[in-house]
Amino acid sequence: MKKQGIYITMFNPKDFNSYRGCLVDIDGTLYDYENAHLVALEAVYQTLFASVHKIDWSDFKSDYRKERSSITEKFSGNGSSRSRFLAFQSMFEKLKIKYAYSIAFDAEELYWECLIKSMQPISTVVELIKSISNQGLLICALTDMQARIQV
């Protein structure tokens, strides 16, 4: 079965006898990133925009996605390519929002707070990790998220 570019197969835990460990990606594998992202983005919209700025939710999501893609491309190969702050700042500047830098800082803080609170582990992945752990294998969780969020 293929889900979001990841192949999930049924396995026999004994198949892992020749391995010493297992690497597990966090974002989009260990938890549903897309759901957590939408919860966080909507919190930013509802808290900082819905009643103050004349932009609807659909346009807000679309504008944010464009700026995230632009920042990812512009800073490809370095940690800034993952920056939500830069995406928010660029978006707010294009919307001609006064104090874009300051509001972008608040938006990023709120975004990460809400995303982290809304993370829910995917039960089948947790079961897989437990099964691998029961085989005595080392497990390492990995992410390509920003350093301050990784920690």
Side-chain angles (χ1 to χ4, degrees):
M1 169 190 347
K2 185 175 181 182
K3 182 179 179 186
Q4 298 178 356
I6 299 167
Y7 287 92
I8 302 169
T9 60
M10 296 304 293
F11 72 97
N12 179 344
K14 292 178 184 172
D15 293 341
F16 288 96
N17 286 342
S18 62
Y19 297 97
R20 295 187 338 198
C22 177
L23 302 176
V24 178
D25 178 52
I26 295 174
D27 308 300
T29 303
L30 191 55
Y31 75 96
D32 182 351
Y33 170 80
E34 277 306 312
N35 183 60
H37 162 71
L38 285 175
V39 167
L41 194 61
E42 187 168 10
V44 170
Y45 174 74
Q46 292 297 335
T47 304
L48 301 174
F49 286 85
S51 62
V52 180
H53 304 283
K54 302 299 179 201
I55 181 172
D56 70 21
W57 169 233
S58 179
D59 289 339
F60 185 86
K61 282 191 309 187
S62 176
D63 289 352
Y64 176 79
R65 180 70 262 154
K66 286 177 196 170
E67 294 311 313
R68 277 280 294 123
S69 294
S70 175
I71 294 300
T72 299
E73 184 178 326
K74 181 177 181 178
F75 294 102
S76 178
N78 85 43
S80 295
S81 69
R82 312 293 290 170
S83 175
R84 274 46 172 191
F85 169 78
L86 292 174
F88 282 127
Q89 181 183 7
S90 179
M91 177 183 160
F92 300 164
E93 287 172 351
K94 287 182 179 176
L95 291 170
K96 301 191 183 326
I97 293 173
K98 201 171 186 180
Y99 310 113
Y101 176 88
S102 212
I103 295 170
F105 180 81
D106 293 342
E108 183 189 43
E109 291 294 313
L110 178 60
Y111 175 88
W112 287 121
E113 177 185 328
C114 292
L115 185 130
I116 290 167
K117 283 181 181 176
S118 67
M119 286 179 179
Q120 294 296 316
I122 298 171
S123 61
T124 54
V125 177
V126 172
E127 289 173 31
L128 173 64
I129 291 170
K130 285 179 182 177
S131 179
I132 292 169
S133 178
N134 289 339
Q135 297 298 311
L137 296 173
L138 296 174
I139 299 170
C140 180
L142 305 170
T143 182
D144 61 355
M145 192 58 69
Q146 299 174 37
R148 75 181 195 88
I149 303 304
Q150 288 174 345
V151 172

